[in-house]
Amino acid sequence: MTNTTSVNLKPALRPQFWSRFKLSELNHSEWEALCDGCGCCCLIKYMDDDDSEVEDVEYTDVACKLMDCATGYCQHYDVRQHYVPDCIQLTPDKLPSMMWLPAHCAYKRLYKGQSLPSWHLLLTEDAVLTQQQMRAANIGVAGRCISETGITDEEMETRVVNWVTP
């Protein structure tokens, strides 16, 4: 007789975890579920961090070499630091210094005491609907970024975009 019982190694998402627990109290699966997959954090940015409280940031449409610009997803997310050692690992303790994240970012919004965007997958529970609503809201890099591979610094300076709002 074959045992067909599968073992779920991922911790379950607790109901409404984003509104019931502090970011530091989330398990790994919950933390990852907050990401809407927009890919904006993977875009190359120009930042002015001259000790002022408000950090100036300009996003380009140039993405990390691991970004699949057609889908907007990292090609090696789970092992990205192996390919890009300086890839930022977002953690609750780093959030205060990462206010350059886009205004729609669930991590930033929850850190600031705001709610999730209405189109977030955790609210809609429908991936297709979420993607449609994100596109309608002009959110995400899929189909509108290029890889950093082969881009010169001079060309990079001409690729600043205004469709990402910090």
Side-chain angles (χ1 to χ4, degrees):
M1 181 178 227
T2 305
N3 183 352
T4 59
T5 304
S6 64
V7 177
N8 184 0
L9 299 177
K10 289 184 177 181
L13 300 180
R14 296 171 287 185
Q16 304 280 313
F17 68 87
W18 59 91
S19 62
R20 297 177 45 229
F21 300 97
K22 296 178 186 175
L23 290 170
S24 61
E25 297 173 333
L26 303 183
N27 65 45
H28 180 74
S29 294
E30 292 167 342
W31 181 260
E32 291 295 320
L34 288 177
C35 179
D36 60 25
C38 75
C40 293
C41 58
C42 301
L43 294 174
I44 294 175
K45 298 160 269 315
Y46 292 107
M47 294 191 276
D48 180 15
D49 49 8
D50 63 355
D51 296 331
S52 63
E53 286 189 33
V54 178
E55 195 169 38
D56 292 324
V57 61
E58 291 181 311
Y59 283 81
T60 69
D61 66 351
V62 181
C64 167
K65 65 183 180 182
L66 296 182
M67 176 65 70
D68 178 332
C69 288
T71 65
Y73 293 111
C74 181
Q75 298 175 66
H76 300 288
Y77 181 76
D78 290 336
V79 293
R80 64 194 184 279
Q81 271 87 20
H82 174 75
Y83 296 96
V84 181
D86 62 344
C87 179
I88 295 169
Q89 181 80 32
L90 180 60
T91 60
D93 59 313
K94 291 181 184 174
L95 270 172
S97 64
M98 298 179 73
M99 290 299 102
W100 52 262
L101 289 166
H104 66 266
C105 176
Y107 300 105
K108 179 177 179 176
R109 292 178 64 83
L110 293 176
Y111 174 79
K112 293 175 74 175
Q114 300 169 344
S115 60
L116 293 177
S118 62
W119 45 258
H120 199 284
L121 181 60
L122 291 169
L123 299 177
T124 68
E125 298 180 0
D126 181 330
V128 172
L129 178 61
T130 290
Q131 288 177 351
Q132 290 171 342
Q133 290 181 355
M134 285 177 71
R135 284 191 189 106
N138 203 26
I139 292 170
V141 303
R144 57 184 181 170
C145 66
I146 64 168
S147 175
E148 69 180 323
T149 305
I151 299 291
T152 65
D153 289 342
E154 293 77 24
E155 186 179 358
M156 185 88 65
E157 291 176 10
T158 69
R159 303 213 53 108
V160 172
V161 297
N162 63 4
W163 46 262
V164 181
T165 304

